[in-house]
């Protein structure tokens, strides 16, 4: 492989080291950050994510509570739990793992979370703040990606940045963070015409599509930084991203692997937001 490997585990470990020291300092002031994680139903991928979030808390000395609710939980029951957590003094951050079962209204749940405890930065008021450039809570995955880009030493300013995918969790906030650092940002999606022509312009290419091997070598400019946000299973059930890693690795200047790229960073930024929330309480 020609491209430099962007090691999300290593970047994440060095950030967590610094955050651990920060948690120790807070402990001296009698403050322990607390995170509540709510999981509804038994989606296996969500169970893995939630487990990793708990482990991350443990590692840093953050207090955590896990609420595992049955798939048949009603909207009212979930809203009541969020309301209880909003008022709970030892909880600084609330995360409701998405996706929720179909009968539940995710938007209503997200809007019920106190914006001061919204460590995912999904609440409309936090989304609005991000748009205005006020980053009290960083959107976890995009913020983790910015850390990975910084780790390569590349400056975003003036670069062609192309994002494939326009979700509220990744694509849209990613565009804001890149814009904030003076990148020239293009957001592509399923209706984009001549996609390869657009992606080939990218100095920084972020793939958040949800389809294995969607980004091929022909779609990537020589030397580009390629960030793979995908978390897919291939035909053999093996975890893989959105990027054809082997082929694109021969063209790109730097590339994130899956697993071990963006994934560990998302949780690290969640922990960072939890510490931020605790400092503000
Ligand atoms: N599901 C997939 N990614 C996320 C995330 O970052 N936060 C939450 N709450 N659910 C998710």
């Amino acid at each position: 492989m020609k491209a430099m490997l962007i090691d999300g585990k290593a970047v994440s470990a060095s950030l967590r080291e610094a955050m651990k020291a920060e948690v120790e300092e807070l402990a001296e002031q009698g403050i322990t950050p607390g995170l509540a994680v709510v999981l509804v139903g038994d989606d296996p991928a969500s169970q893995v994510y939630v487990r990793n979030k708990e482990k991350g808390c443990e590692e840093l000395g953050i207090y955590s509570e896990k609420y595992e609710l049955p798939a048949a939980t009603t909207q009212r029951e979930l809203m009541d739990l969020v309301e209880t957590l909003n008022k709970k003094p030892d909880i600084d951050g609330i995360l409701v793992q998405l996706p929720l079962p179909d009968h539940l209204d995710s938007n209503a749940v997200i809007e019920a979370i106190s914006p001061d405890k919204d460590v995912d930065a999904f609440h409309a008021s936090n989304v609005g703040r991000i748009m205005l450039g006020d980053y009290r809570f960083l959107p976890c995955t995009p913020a983790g990606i910015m850390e990975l880009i910084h780790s390569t030493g590349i400056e975003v300013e003036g670069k062609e940045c192309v994002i494939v995918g326009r979700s509220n969790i990744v694509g849209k906030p990613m565009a804001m963070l890149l814009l904030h650092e003076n990148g020239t940002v293009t957001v592509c999606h399923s209706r984009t015409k001549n996609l390869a022509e657009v992606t080939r312009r990218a100095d920084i290419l972020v793939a958040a599509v949800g389809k294995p091997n969607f980004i091929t070598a022909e779609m990537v400019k020589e030397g580009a930084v390629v960030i793979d946000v995908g978390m897919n299973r291939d035909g053999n059930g093996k975890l893989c991203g959105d990027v054809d890693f082997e082929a694109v690795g021969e063209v790109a200047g730097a590339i994130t692997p899956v697993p071990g790229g963006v994934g560990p960073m998302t949780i690290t930024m969640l922990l960072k937001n939890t510490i931020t929330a605790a400092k503000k309480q």
Side-chain angles (χ1 to χ4, degrees):
M1 196 175 72
K2 194 186 120 269
M4 180 190 98
L5 199 68
I6 305 173
D7 185 348
K9 277 193 205 158
V11 176
S12 180
S14 93
L15 287 171
R16 287 191 198 191
E17 195 75 27
M19 282 156 53
K20 196 170 174 184
E22 210 175 343
V23 172
E24 279 163 15
E25 268 173 43
L26 285 173
E28 282 167 22
Q29 302 166 42
I31 300 170
T32 305
L35 175 69
V37 179
V38 180
L39 174 63
V40 185
D42 37 34
D43 178 58
S46 289
Q47 283 170 338
V48 173
Y49 292 141
V50 166
R51 180 82 204 93
N52 287 334
K53 284 164 186 168
E54 268 190 303
K55 276 201 279 192
C57 285
E58 249 169 63
E59 181 192 329
L60 262 62
I62 294 175
Y63 169 69
S64 78
E65 291 179 353
K66 182 164 79 170
Y67 294 84
E68 288 180 286
L69 307 180
T73 299
T74 64
Q75 186 77 23
R76 188 69 261 153
E77 286 165 336
L78 186 53
M79 300 291 267
D80 285 347
L81 173 59
V82 168
E83 209 36 61
T84 303
L85 295 172
N86 280 341
K87 294 194 194 112
K88 207 164 181 290
D90 56 350
I91 292 300
D92 302 294
I94 302 169
L95 180 141
V96 178
Q97 185 66 31
L98 302 179
L100 290 170
D102 286 342
H103 69 282
L104 295 171
D105 178 351
S106 311
N107 282 337
V109 175
I110 289 166
E111 292 307 305
I113 296 172
S114 161
D116 293 330
K117 296 191 176 186
D118 171 38
V119 284
D120 263 324
F122 288 170
H123 191 285
S125 72
N126 286 321
V127 173
R129 284 183 181 130
I130 289 159
M131 196 130 192
L132 297 171
D134 168 4
Y135 298 101
R136 67 188 57 190
F137 289 128
L138 305 159
C140 300
T141 300
I145 292 170
M146 293 309 291
E147 295 285 352
L148 291 178
I149 293 171
H150 295 155
S151 80
T152 67
I154 188 183
E155 282 265 340
V156 174
E157 179 150 335
K159 295 292 189 308
E160 288 282 349
C161 306
V162 176
I163 302 159
V164 189
R166 56 171 154 182
S167 69
N168 290 334
I169 296 186
V170 183
K172 287 186 209 169
M174 189 74 244
M176 289 302 134
L177 299 203
L178 288 164
L179 201 51
H180 188 64
E181 293 194 13
N182 303 314
T184 300
V185 181
T186 305
V187 182
C188 302
H189 45 78
S190 55
R191 311 285 171 87
T192 297
K193 295 206 169 73
N194 305 321
L195 179 64
E197 238 169 69
V198 183
T199 57
R200 263 201 306 271
R201 290 207 303 261
D203 302 306
I204 298 171
L205 179 62
V206 179
V209 188
K211 291 188 185 134
N213 298 326
F214 185 83
I215 302 291
T216 59
E218 298 73 46
M219 296 168 79
V220 176
K221 177 159 116 179
E222 185 83 32
V225 173
V226 179
I227 306 287
D228 190 349
V229 190
M231 277 280 189
N232 313 301
R233 299 273 166 192
D234 68 10
N236 304 317
K238 195 167 154 259
L239 195 65
C240 69
D242 292 342
V243 176
D244 180 352
F245 182 79
E246 295 304 325
V248 171
E250 296 300 326
V251 183
I255 188 169
T256 62
V258 176
V262 174
M265 295 301 295
T266 296
I267 297 176
T268 299
M269 301 324 275
L270 169 75
L271 301 171
K272 187 176 171 126
N273 282 343
T274 305
I275 295 170
T276 302
K279 282 191 195 157
K280 283 199 299 133
Q281 296 291 324

